Amino acid sequence: MSMRSLLVISLVLCAAASWAQEKAAPAAAPVAGTPVTLENPGFEKPDISSGAAVGAKPDAWFPFASTPVNKVGVSDARKKTGSQSLMFKAQTEPNAYQGMAQKFTAKSGAHYTFVIYAMGEANDPITGNAYGQIHFEFQDAAGKEIGRIHGPTWDFQLPSTRWEKFYVDADAPEGAASGSAVVTFFSQDCAGVGTFYVDDVELSTR
């Protein structure tokens, strides 16, 4: 065999080996998000075992509602980790809503992810068109809302035997100085029937 033929075969074999190595190379790992501090993410405060009332407002979170009554607060009936979670009980008024939120410092253009775990109550399941939802709200330096990104919803199909993960992604708009991570229960037509729990919330950015 001529030297020219040997050279051609050698080049082909080297190219094949290089191609095989490239095909076998593992894909790059996704960039992990950087945690953003949320206070009381497991709703452990105030502590019911130390005398706090079931249904008390969780520390560091602020409530809101379309009616004077807000039925959201800490509970020890269910917990993913720790000893407590956040309980949402449906309002009786048609088309009412209520929820809990926590503010955080936001940066324009940054990408945020808000994660929660939710579970239904077997003895008081969500009914009718009622549903829960998570979302982001962004405010400028003056406190004016400049953006809102809605996430997924859950309804009567929410399991009562396991925790289900929900998350929402959002890019902070230009001029954003702060944001709010929000969980809401829309009672709709349920006439006060329906309970779910939320635990181990997470907020990250990249």
Side-chain angles (χ1 to χ4, degrees), residues 82-127:
S83 59
Q84 298 183 175
S85 64
L86 183 62
M87 177 179 63
F88 290 73
K89 295 185 72 68
Q91 294 179 315
T92 56
E93 293 81 354
N95 301 315
Y97 64 84
Q98 60 185 334
M100 285 284 174
Q102 187 173 148
K103 286 191 173 183
F104 59 92
T105 300
K107 181 180 179 181
S108 298
H111 183 82
Y112 294 92
T113 301
F114 179 41
V115 178
I116 73 160
Y117 292 86
M119 177 187 284
E121 171 56 69
N123 296 320
D124 187 30
I126 299 172
T127 61

Side-chain angles (χ1 to χ4, degrees), residues 53-192:
V54 173
K57 181 186 79 68
D59 292 0
W61 294 80
F62 65 88
F64 60 91
S66 61
T67 72
V69 179
N70 190 301
K71 297 182 177 181
V72 184
V74 295
S75 171
D76 56 1
R78 298 284 185 278
K79 53 267 188 183
K80 183 175 180 294
T81 60
S83 59
Q84 298 183 175
S85 64
L86 183 62
M87 177 179 63
F88 290 73
K89 295 185 72 68
Q91 294 179 315
T92 56
E93 293 81 354
N95 301 315
Y97 64 84
Q98 60 185 334
M100 285 284 174
Q102 187 173 148
K103 286 191 173 183
F104 59 92
T105 300
K107 181 180 179 181
S108 298
H111 183 82
Y112 294 92
T113 301
F114 179 41
V115 178
I116 73 160
Y117 292 86
M119 177 187 284
E121 171 56 69
N123 296 320
D124 187 30
I126 299 172
T127 61
N129 294 310
Y131 65 95
Q133 186 173 39
I134 55 175
H135 74 271
F136 278 116
E137 295 176 9
F138 292 97
Q139 302 85 29
D140 62 16
K144 179 183 177 182
E145 184 176 324
I146 57 174
R148 184 176 295 206
I149 307 297
H150 290 94
T153 64
W154 54 92
D155 55 17
F156 63 90
Q157 295 180 312
L158 183 69
S160 60
T161 56
R162 70 177 187 277
W163 292 95
E164 191 159 311
K165 182 178 179 179
F166 297 90
Y167 71 92
V168 57
D169 289 306
D171 294 321
E174 185 65 30
S178 64
S180 296
V182 187
V183 187
T184 309
F185 190 7
F186 297 89
S187 297
Q188 303 295 84
D189 58 351
C190 71

Side-chain angles (χ1 to χ4, degrees), residues 13-67:
L13 290 175
C14 287
S18 176
W19 178 83
Q21 288 179 352
E22 290 178 0
K23 292 292 284 184
V31 178
T34 303
V36 179
T37 301
L38 278 181
E39 296 184 59
N40 199 19
F43 310 102
E44 299 298 317
K45 299 177 182 179
D47 186 358
I48 294 173
S49 66
S50 297
V54 173
K57 181 186 79 68
D59 292 0
W61 294 80
F62 65 88
F64 60 91
S66 61
T67 72

